[in-house]
């Protein structure tokens, strides 16, 4: 079985953790732009977004559809794609919830940041199986300039 991996620059991960901490105690969300590769994906840019969920933002996030479309179009113009959807879990582990599973799409990476008492504790990336039965954790390969 070939294991997929997300290749991402350290500074982008730090930007994600930063946003997750600033959004605490609410969930943050954002999109990672990059390219799909033979072995997964490669990230180029992080676009932080506003959590547009109107209630229960401690446990839920919502990305505005129009905003998603705009960012997808922008990525398209640069020959890139949305490769990952990011959100945080305030005071919960970085594991996908049943809700996450019910709302995810196969083919994208789902990055989850666990923020405990306002501090980013851990971060992991997940892919939904094609039959939607569960998530598989994906390797994250970081690099620095
Ligand atoms: Zn979640």
């Amino acid at each position: 079985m070939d294991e997929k991996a997300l290749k991402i620059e350290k500074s982008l991960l730090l930007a994600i953790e930063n946003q997750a901490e600033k959004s605490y105690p609410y969930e943050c969300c954002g999109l990672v732009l990059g390219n799909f590769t033979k072995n997964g994906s490669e990230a180029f840019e992080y676009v932080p977004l506003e959590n547009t969920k109107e209630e229960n933002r401690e446990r839920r996030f919502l990305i505005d559809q129009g905003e998603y479309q705009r960012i997808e179009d922008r990525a398209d113009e640069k020959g890139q794609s949305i490769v990952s959807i990011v959100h945080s879990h305030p005071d919960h582990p970085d594991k996908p919830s049943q809700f996450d599973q019910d709302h995810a799409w196969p083919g994208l990476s789902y990055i989850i940041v666990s923020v405990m008492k306002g501090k980013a504790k851990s971060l992991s990336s997940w892919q939904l199986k094609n039959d939607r039965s569960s998530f598989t954790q994906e390797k994250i390969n970081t690099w620095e300039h």
Side-chain angles (χ1 to χ4, degrees):
M1 188 184 125
D2 64 322
E3 202 183 353
K4 287 195 170 181
L6 169 70
K7 193 178 169 209
I8 188 164
E9 195 183 344
K10 199 83 191 277
S11 64
L12 292 188
L13 286 183
L14 289 176
I16 290 169
E17 288 176 353
N18 220 323
Q19 186 209 9
E21 289 182 353
K22 279 196 186 132
S23 306
Y24 184 88
Y26 301 115
E27 288 197 8
C28 74
C29 54
L31 300 171
V32 176
L33 308 188
N35 282 143
F36 291 106
T37 60
K38 203 163 51 130
N39 306 313
S41 56
E42 186 175 11
F44 296 137
E45 186 187 343
Y46 179 56
V47 185
L49 293 174
E50 202 186 324
N51 182 353
T52 59
K53 191 85 188 157
E54 280 179 2
E55 48 194 36
N56 198 13
R57 275 183 295 136
E58 293 89 345
R59 297 302 310 276
R60 295 281 188 269
F61 76 99
L62 182 69
I63 294 174
D64 179 72
Q65 276 298 315
E67 190 73 358
Y68 189 97
Q69 194 58 55
R70 259 192 304 281
I71 291 162
E72 192 165 51
D73 290 347
R74 208 179 81 202
D76 223 37
E77 279 167 25
K78 292 190 282 191
Q80 297 175 9
S81 312
I82 293 171
V83 295
S84 177
I85 296 179
V86 175
H87 75 286
S88 61
H89 281 178
D91 296 320
H92 283 82
D94 59 354
K95 306 280 180 291
S97 63
Q98 185 62 47
F99 182 87
D100 292 334
Q101 187 172 325
D102 294 342
H103 291 80
W105 297 99
L108 285 173
S109 299
Y110 287 82
I111 295 178
I112 301 176
V113 195
S114 168
V115 185
M116 295 294 188
K117 297 192 170 95
K119 275 273 160 208
K121 263 271 153 34
S122 55
L123 181 153
S124 56
S125 185
W126 305 81
Q127 293 245 358
L128 187 67
K129 284 185 185 156
N130 284 324
D131 65 5
R132 306 190 61 97
S133 62
S134 62
F135 277 97
T136 313
Q137 191 168 359
E138 160 182 70
K139 248 183 102 177
I140 299 179
N141 291 328
T142 57
W143 58 282
E144 282 177 79
H145 270 304

